[in-house]
Amino acid sequence: MLPVIGTLRPWADPTLLQLGRLPMHVPLDAADRLALDGPWQLEMFERPDAVPATAITGRRRRAVEVAVPGNWTMQDLGTFSDPPWYTNVQMPFPGPPPLLPERNPTGVYRRSFTLTHAWLRRRSLVHIGGAESVHAVYVNGTFVGYGTDSRLPSEYDITSHVRQGRNELAIVVVKFSAHSYIEDQDQWWMGGLHRSVWIEHRAPVRIADLPVTTDYDPASGAGSVAVTTTVEVGGDPAAGWTVRTTLRDPRGKRVGRPDEQPVPDAHRRPYEFHGFRVIARWELSRATPWSAESPARYTVTAELIDPAGDVAQVETQLVGVKRVEVRDRQLLVNGRAIWIFGVNRHDHHPDRGKAVTVDDIRDDLLAMRAHNITAIRTSHYPNDAVFYDLCDELGFYVVDEANIESHAYNRSLCDDPTYRSAWVDRGARMVQRDRNHPCIILWSLGNESGYGDNHDALAGWIRKADPTRPLHYEDAIRIDGWVDGGLTATDVVCPMYPEIADIQAYGDSAGTRPLIMCEYNHAMGNSNGSLSDYWHVITTTPGLQGGFIWEWKDHGLRQTLADGTVRLAYGGQFGESPHDGNFVADGLMSADLEPHPAMHEVAWVHRPVTVTATRGGLRIENRQSFAGLGALKARWELFVGGEITRRGSLRVPPVEPHGSVTIGLPVERPERASTDVQLTVRWELRADTWFAPAGHVVAWDQIELRAPRRTGRSGVETARTDRSSRAAIDQAAIDQVAPVLHLRRAPIDNDGFKLMPELGRRLRVGGRSMERWQDIGLDTVDPESLVDHEMTRRVDGTGTVFRHVVDVPDELTDLPRVGVTFPVPARFRSLRWFGRGPHESYPDRRGAATLGIWDAEPDESPYLVPQEFGLRTDCRWLELVDADGAVMRIDVVMPASLHMSATWHTDDDLADAATATELHRRDHLTVNIDVAHRGVGTASCGPDTLPQYRLAAGRYEFAYRISV
């Protein structure tokens, strides 16, 4: 049993939040620090009651060396086993709250540190950045304190417990606690010290907190800065202490005079005593406001001056002058509506789990900004303080979310009085730490925790403590309705995975709040269909302002198997049970920060400037809220038959934020053309930025100037390259091509969870298409037995024309595809096509893919769980090229275009493989040609594919010519 605490079992008591923990404050940097990151000794036990007193001070019998910050679940524990464990909604143990499992891994971290005599003349604190789930602290064998809330720091006064010379710190971390029930957050259950630990020393009289409140009047341009310096006096207050506060503008110029005031020392009249606080205030006639587009920051400096006139402590805060408000159905920053081009982000690293570094965070932000993502929801807990520093500096809007999610007990704990203090404490501590960060525009009360009295209690505290920011909480509107539900708990309507029709309906309603989706468009596998449909409605409907895509990154964890194979693992692959499988792999990026194909679509729907066709010209719209287009330059290219025939720079007059202009075409519109003619406009950075070099493309649009001329009912004229038109036809090679009817696709996650179909039924999420297709035998029977199919071949001097007529009966409506498939020899290793590209696209995810002639190698599977991939939509022709330059060419004859792909895997290969490491290249390429292909949708946790992207019953006719 843990020593000193005795019979008390705090980890099992939801009402016990802390023992001996110091109050939360904004991050302060002036103290001397002794960093304790690095190697620690860790001894593991089966449960906290099994930890003997000797584990704190005695011989480390079974200790192993581990890294801090780090999760023990991601490190070698010797003979002790505690791998990562993934669940989504369900808890990893049965409950009910606050019951805990018999096996509850508990780690005793120990390391020594040395203090000098000079250090001991001041006050000593220990800072624990984050411990999952709860922790107890011992110094030299003496109990110091206990803390909860794994995603915020805890600090303890250890002054009376340290000595000159060598000291020993022990931190006991318990993996599961009563508080785990409100940290059930659709992520890996880890354990350990996952953020930094340090010792610091401070003077007895010190600046203990430094909250700053700012405001900005967009009408006049005036602003204000109010600084409250809280001084801890360390006993009976003495007279003569003062605080001198200075403000400097973003250029470093001092604003007005320094404010110098005495620290109150009279506290004999408690009724009128307001604490040892000094408040300084500046009124700015012309303020420089902070926004994500222009992240200008003021510098606040507070100096604590002792009675002798010496500066005892200096603290600095970088703050932004801004105003955030909800008015006229809009979320306004500095008086202007902003678009929420957002994603949800978890802390995750494939090798270190939750222990992310400053470089990891910066890499995330760089990749986000390079793809036009400018807003982040900290799903579902506060991040390390450095995250907000970077967002302040680089320019991101942040929804800061309290570390509260009781998903498994979604409708009960929110009204449970035993958890009320935890609810308020977690949200309050978040605000107290993060309040100075200008990047934060909304406080979130947590996620998927129902809606009850505990939420209203927390909301009331935040509204009083920080009235400068609105509140966000999804379940309040889920339960009480979008129009006027949950008004005490949320100032924005923030639904989760709504149908497009539903957000349109809200825009047409009498709702007075802005709608910002807290989660939408679930990025699990081959997904993110209809992003362009969402954004068409968002940008054309009053009251809608965007949302946060789920989610930023797959949570794959690198795992080495017994045979040496290395893979990125998902739930269940560490032997844990119960688990929720690959539902943890639902990111726009891989765990290694490689973009999935859908990131192109994200960057496109989030583009800062759009170009659309008008009668005889182009309409250019600036989607930024504060900046003009001066940082960008526009270039145009004229494509005829996929080839660039002309190009130039686009002359654009100044365009105000949220403004638009109409200009003429930069090139004459072709009067007649026998093939496609498109104008593509691309916007590039004029100069290097922190996230990309000059020339980086931030926006693009393609305008169709002329569609191909049809040659009659049977098809269209198609352009041919000089190479293929001059080549001799190898009819023998063509005769070996044997297209077969193709109606199935390897199921994508949105079709259904192939590895865990019971998960969708249990969670009531996920598509049902896979089960329906299996019921009709789509993956087992000859497709010719399901539909009427007629194929004809006609040989002419240019190759062989294949014509197909497929009649799909009513009972087979909504198939995955209608097309053909056939193998081609592996010597064809390069692809060239005229269609949408250069990346993978699907009928409901092709806005970012422009028409042109593209070259590429066959794609490798980009998804953690293998599934359908690699389609190129709207192809006019496809060439497969070998090393000697021989070409197999497929020309579309009818209709105007077809969808095509060529990969090293068959449907069976992809459907049967559970992980990417199980895929092996075939000795041939598999070519797919589709006249119709079902959209991908987002049904793994959201709406299914829209009706217009599904395959209706009826007749499908298509034809293509193959030449070799």
Side-chain angles (χ1 to χ4, degrees):
M1 178 173 295
L2 291 179
V4 175
I5 298 180
T7 57
L8 185 66
R9 303 177 76 247
W11 60 88
D13 184 352
T15 68
L16 188 52
L17 309 183
Q18 57 85 20
L19 293 168
R21 184 164 64 186
L22 298 174
M24 183 60 82
H25 55 81
V26 303
L28 302 171
D29 297 322
D32 293 329
R33 287 180 181 166
L34 177 62
L36 298 184
D37 290 354
W40 286 58
Q41 294 293 305
L42 173 65
E43 190 171 9
M44 295 298 301
F45 298 88
E46 292 290 314
R47 58 190 182 277
D49 297 298
V51 178
T54 54
I56 306 300
T57 58
R59 188 165 58 89
R60 304 163 185 174
R61 298 172 299 159
R62 299 171 300 169
V64 297
E65 186 174 278
V66 295
V68 173
N71 293 116
W72 72 55
T73 36
M74 296 299 297
Q75 303 189 61
D76 184 2
L77 301 181
T79 60
F80 194 92
S81 177
D82 186 33
W85 194 335
Y86 169 63
T87 63
N88 175 21
V89 176
Q90 62 183 331
M91 294 291 293
F93 47 85
L99 295 181
L100 298 176
E102 177 64 23
R103 186 176 193 269
N104 188 0
T106 301
V108 180
Y109 286 87
R110 290 171 62 182
R111 69 157 293 166
S112 61
F113 60 94
T114 301
L115 299 182
T116 64
H117 177 71
W119 186 290
L120 296 181
R121 291 200 297 265
R122 310 192 85 188
R123 190 179 181 199
S124 296
L125 309 175
V126 60
H127 172 102
I128 299 170
E132 187 174 346
S133 163
V134 298
H135 64 277
V137 182
Y138 300 81
V139 174
N140 295 325
T142 302
F143 174 71
V144 172
Y146 165 82
T148 62
D149 190 349
S150 64
R151 308 297 173 197
L152 281 174
S154 296
E155 293 181 340
Y156 304 90
D157 190 328
I158 60 173
T159 306
S160 61
H161 306 294
V162 294
R163 59 198 175 212
Q164 184 178 346
R166 184 180 180 275
N167 294 266
E168 187 166 49
L169 172 65
I171 304 174
V172 182
V173 180
V174 184
K175 182 174 183 178
F176 297 125
S177 71
H179 294 273
S180 297
Y181 286 99
I182 55 174
E183 294 184 357
D184 180 23
Q185 293 157 331
D186 186 15
Q187 59 177 327
W188 294 96
W189 296 92
M190 294 287 184
L193 298 171
H194 58 91
R195 293 182 185 164
S196 289
V197 179
W198 65 72
I199 305 291
E200 65 180 50
H201 76 155
R202 295 185 180 275
V205 180
R206 68 185 185 108
I207 296 174
D209 202 4
L210 193 62
V212 180
T213 302
T214 71
D215 191 21
Y216 177 75
D217 181 5
S220 65
S224 63
V225 177
V227 183
T228 300
T229 304
T230 299
V231 178
E232 189 173 277
V233 299
D236 196 37
W241 289 84
T242 59
V243 171
R244 181 167 60 222
T245 314
T246 305
L247 179 68
R248 293 186 180 276
D249 68 16
R251 297 172 297 172
K253 182 180 179 181
R254 196 178 70 193
V255 178
R257 295 180 178 179
D259 180 281
E260 189 163 344
Q261 299 182 48
V263 177
D265 65 283
H267 63 103
R268 303 293 186 265
R269 302 173 64 186
Y271 188 79
E272 297 180 357
F273 180 62
H274 295 288
F276 304 106
R277 298 184 302 164
V278 171
I279 300 175
R281 184 178 180 88
W282 283 265
E283 298 295 336
L284 313 173
S285 59
R286 297 298 299 176
T288 303
W290 184 97
S291 71
E293 295 170 30
S294 181
R297 292 183 295 173
Y298 286 73
T299 302
V300 170
T301 303
E303 299 171 283
L304 181 64
I305 302 171
D306 67 18
D310 297 325
V311 176
Q313 183 181 350
V314 181
E315 293 290 350
T316 299
Q317 297 286 302
L318 294 172
V319 301
V321 174
K322 76 177 195 306
R323 176 181 292 179
V324 184
E325 58 187 325
V326 170
R327 179 164 46 86
D328 300 329
R329 301 189 83 190
Q330 294 178 310
L331 175 67
L332 304 177
V333 173
N334 301 332
R336 297 183 183 181
I338 59 172
W339 293 119
I340 300 297
F341 298 135
V343 292
N344 289 273
R345 179 189 174 276
H346 269 294
D347 281 340
H348 182 77
H349 189 274
D351 300 306
R352 289 180 266 104
K354 296 298 172 190
V356 296
T357 66
V358 176
D359 287 341
D360 294 335
I361 297 171
R362 184 179 285 274
D363 286 346
D364 278 354
L365 298 180
L366 187 151
M368 287 180 190
R369 191 65 186 82
H371 290 90
N372 294 330
I373 293 165
T374 57
I376 305 166
R377 176 174 172 237
T378 65
S379 54
H380 299 291
Y381 41 80
N383 285 202
D384 190 280
V386 72
F387 166 83
Y388 306 92
D389 291 337
L390 289 171
C391 291
D392 291 344
E393 172 194 349
L394 304 176
F396 285 87
Y397 297 119
V398 173
V399 175
D400 203 11
E401 192 147 273
N403 185 23
I404 302 169
E405 181 173 338
S406 59
H407 207 161
Y409 294 88
N410 203 353
R411 297 291 183 261
S412 58
L413 296 188
C414 55
D415 284 314
D416 188 336
T418 62
Y419 279 90
R420 185 168 304 136
S421 56
W423 238 265
V424 176
D425 186 66
R426 286 168 179 244
R429 294 178 77 239
M430 172 185 71
V431 172
Q432 288 173 307
R433 187 196 67 166
D434 297 341
R435 65 202 311 168
N436 286 359
H437 289 287
C439 64
I440 298 170
I441 58 172
L442 294 168
W443 298 118
S444 172
L445 307 187
N447 183 64
E448 292 177 322
S449 302
Y451 174 44
D453 296 344
N454 295 346
H455 290 102
D456 284 342
L458 173 56
W461 189 95
I462 295 178
R463 289 191 189 282
K464 178 63 170 63
D466 180 29
T468 69
R469 295 178 177 93
L471 299 186
H472 168 288
Y473 184 60
E474 180 264 341
D475 255 339
I477 60 106
R478 180 199 297 261
I479 294 173
D480 285 354
W482 290 16
V483 173
D484 55 8
L487 292 173
T488 57
T490 185
D491 298 306
V492 296
V493 175
C494 43
M496 190 176 286
Y497 306 107
E499 300 271 1
I500 293 175
D502 292 336
I503 64 174
Q504 175 79 66
Y506 178 80
D508 296 336
S509 75
T512 59
R513 295 173 289 183
L515 185 146
I516 297 169
M517 296 173 286
C518 72
E519 295 178 22
Y520 81 111
N521 215 255
H522 196 246
M524 187 174 179
N526 190 349
S527 186
N528 301 107
S530 284
L531 270 172
S532 60
D533 298 297
Y534 273 101
W535 277 92
H536 173 72
V537 171
I538 290 167
T539 55
T540 58
T541 306
L544 310 187
Q545 284 185 253
F548 299 89
I549 297 168
W550 187 269
E551 69 167 307
W552 173 237
K553 185 190 296 185
D554 283 349
H555 295 199
L557 294 174
R558 209 173 325 275
Q559 181 187 50
T560 302
L561 304 181
D563 64 359
T565 300
V566 178
R567 69 182 182 187
L568 289 170
Y570 49 79
Q573 294 189 316
F574 290 93
E576 74 272 30
S577 181
H579 67 84
D580 288 325
N582 65 303
F583 207 69
V584 77
D586 48 12
L588 293 166
M589 308 284 278
S590 75
D592 283 320
L593 213 60
E594 291 293 328
H596 288 160
M599 278 301 292
H600 297 282
E601 196 82 355
V602 172
W604 185 74
V605 298
H606 288 174
R607 61 201 187 282
V609 54
T610 65
V611 180
T612 53
T614 64
R615 185 180 297 274
L618 301 174
R619 182 173 184 263
I620 298 170
E621 182 177 356
N622 183 359
R623 298 168 82 185
Q624 299 173 109
S625 299
F626 303 98
L629 300 180
L632 307 177
K633 58 183 177 183
R635 300 186 185 276
W636 61 267
E637 296 170 329
L638 183 69
F639 288 78
V640 178
E643 301 276 7
I644 299 174
T645 61
R646 293 184 63 185
R647 53 163 51 100
S649 296
L650 191 67
R651 295 183 178 181
V652 181
V655 186
E656 293 298 314
H658 288 317
S660 64
V661 297
T662 299
I663 63 174
L665 289 172
V667 63
E668 290 186 7
R669 184 190 298 269
E671 290 301 320
R672 286 188 166 280
S674 60
T675 186
D676 299 80
V677 181
Q678 291 90 22
L679 178 73
T680 298
V681 179
R682 305 181 194 277
W683 300 81
E684 304 172 354
L685 295 174
R686 287 188 182 275
D688 293 346
T689 67
W690 67 269
F691 63 87
H696 172 74
V697 176
V698 302
W700 63 99
D701 281 291
Q702 190 171 65
I703 309 300
E704 184 173 79
L705 299 182
R706 183 71 60 192
R709 189 178 68 196
R710 294 188 174 275
T711 61
R713 292 183 64 250
S714 62
V716 297
E717 290 185 4
T718 57
R720 299 176 59 83
T721 64
D722 290 341
R723 178 177 58 192
S724 61
S725 63
R726 290 198 304 264
I729 301 300
D730 185 350
Q731 190 60 45
I734 300 173
D735 291 342
Q736 296 177 15
V737 175
V740 296
L741 183 65
H742 197 204
L743 302 179
R744 64 177 293 213
R745 70 181 178 194
I748 62 174
D749 289 315
N750 290 337
D751 295 336
F753 304 134
K754 71 177 185 181
L755 303 179
M756 42 178 187
E758 76 287 347
L759 173 68
R761 291 189 286 270
R762 174 164 50 82
L763 299 185
R764 290 178 291 181
V765 298
R768 297 291 180 266
S769 298
M770 181 184 70
E771 295 179 11
R772 176 167 49 84
W773 296 332
Q774 289 173 340
D775 288 343
I776 64 176
L778 204 59
D779 56 343
T780 57
V781 305
D782 183 353
E784 298 282 357
S785 67
L786 298 174
V787 299
D788 290 331
H789 172 220
E790 177 185 349
M791 181 180 76
T792 60
R793 304 168 65 120
R794 178 173 56 84
V795 178
D796 60 23
T798 61
T800 299
V801 175
F802 295 83
R803 186 174 186 274
H804 302 265
V805 179
V806 181
D807 288 309
V808 177
D810 290 342
E811 60 269 24
L812 290 187
T813 189
D814 199 13
L815 290 170
R817 75 196 320 155
V818 174
V820 295
T821 185
F822 54 89
V824 300
R827 64 187 176 90
F828 294 105
R829 291 180 171 269
S830 297
L831 308 178
R832 190 168 188 258
W833 72 97
F834 176 18
R836 293 194 180 274
H839 50 271
E840 167 188 293
S841 61
Y842 284 80
D844 60 350
R845 200 188 71 216
R846 57 182 169 181
T850 56
L851 287 167
I853 295 177
W854 307 101
D855 294 274
E857 300 299 312
D859 291 344
E860 298 292 345
S861 174
Y863 305 113
L864 193 57
V865 173
Q867 53 199 276
E868 157 70 31
F869 75 98
L871 195 69
R872 266 55 173 188
T873 55
D874 301 326
C875 291
R876 278 59 167 164
W877 51 258
L878 167 68
E879 292 181 342
L880 300 98
V881 186
D882 72 6
D884 296 326
V887 175
M888 175 181 287
R889 179 174 168 115
I890 305 166
D891 280 292
V892 176
V893 175
M894 67 169 295
S897 63
L898 297 171
H899 311 314
M900 301 185 189
S901 66
T903 73
W904 296 108
H905 310 290
T906 66
D907 285 339
D908 286 336
D909 296 337
L910 297 170
D912 294 343
T915 64
T917 55
E918 296 177 6
L919 281 180
H920 303 285
R921 282 189 174 191
R922 292 267 180 170
D923 59 1
H924 63 263
L925 279 173
T926 295
V927 173
N928 299 311
I929 303 175
D930 299 333
V931 66
H933 195 111
R934 192 182 199 267
V936 294
T938 181
S940 54
C941 190
D944 200 354
T945 303
L946 291 179
Q948 60 265 39
Y949 304 115
R950 301 183 194 181
L951 278 59
R955 172 161 292 187
Y956 292 85
E957 298 183 64
F958 59 106
Y960 49 91
R961 176 187 296 106
I962 297 182
S963 56
V964 179

